[in-house]
Amino acid sequence: VYYTQLGLNTQNQQVTLAGFAKSVKDLAEQVKIFDDDPGVVQLNFGNSSIGEGGWKFNLVLTLTPEMFKTASP
């Protein structure tokens, strides 16, 4: 699995990813990793399509507010 685009929206605490996976199994494993992460509140998967050499997909991850806190100096 690799990612071709990344978007970050700190106001709604979301990360948008576009990516590519060689197989459905690889894609399912990546989704499970995000789904099991306690920092991920919600995961939306969509716009998947099979193409030359594998699967293109989009993910939107809604993260916990703690993921966006900055450390004090």
Side-chain angles (χ1 to χ4, degrees), residues 51-66:
E52 191 173 315
W55 290 85
K56 293 180 181 180
F57 62 91
N58 291 328
L59 293 173
V60 178
L61 308 174
T62 303
L63 305 177
T64 62
E66 291 77 26

Side-chain angles (χ1 to χ4, degrees), residues 21-65:
K22 286 187 177 182
S23 70
V24 172
K25 180 182 177 215
D26 292 340
L27 181 53
E29 288 175 357
Q30 182 65 79
V31 168
K32 179 161 177 32
I33 289 168
F34 284 132
D35 196 40
D36 290 345
D37 189 314
V40 177
V41 176
Q42 184 177 20
L43 181 143
N44 293 315
F45 171 78
N47 294 334
S48 63
S49 63
I50 191 163
E52 191 173 315
W55 290 85
K56 293 180 181 180
F57 62 91
N58 291 328
L59 293 173
V60 178
L61 308 174
T62 303
L63 305 177
T64 62

